[in-house]
Amino acid sequence: MPKQQKKMNLFDLTFMAIGGIIGAGIFTMVDSGISATGRSVTLALTVGMLFQMSQQVRYVFTSAMFQVSGGMYSQDALVLTPCSPVWPAPPCSSAR
């Protein structure tokens, strides 16, 4: 059986570029954070990092519980209900 090569298409490359732009924006905005918080910018970034880690830790647990391919979307589809407030377009909102 030959090995299948994975290739990136235009959609993948576009969203990688968008992610790079957002990531670069975070690093360039540190100057604004310093001007807003002064010397406590390290504390502000640490608190932000802790909040982000507390949001992402659920993916560690769901990936250990459910062995599915498809990444975070597949895990969310198993765990969240369609009427969940974090679902992009809840079908239950139009039924009310």
Side-chain angles (χ1 to χ4, degrees):
M1 183 173 208
K3 252 187 167 177
Q4 184 179 7
Q5 286 186 335
K6 295 187 177 187
K7 297 181 180 178
M8 296 182 72
N9 56 20
L10 181 62
F11 182 79
D12 299 330
L13 292 173
T14 302
F15 279 96
M16 280 190 68
I18 290 172
I21 290 169
I22 292 171
I26 291 171
F27 286 112
T28 58
M29 293 304 291
V30 170
D31 183 39
S32 298
I34 290 172
S35 66
T37 61
R39 296 187 327 173
S40 62
V41 70
T42 306
L43 178 64
L45 289 174
T46 304
V47 169
M49 178 194 66
L50 291 174
F51 280 125
Q52 182 63 29
M53 285 175 58
S54 70
Q55 291 294 315
Q56 297 299 321
V57 75
R58 69 183 174 105
Y59 290 116
V60 173
F61 292 116
T62 55
S63 65
M65 290 188 320
F66 306 113
Q67 300 292 325
V68 295
S69 61
M72 293 188 295
Y73 180 81
S74 296
Q75 293 172 1
D76 287 343
L78 287 172
V79 176
L80 300 174
T81 64
C83 297
S84 176
V86 296
W87 205 259
C92 300
S93 62
S94 62
R96 291 180 186 177

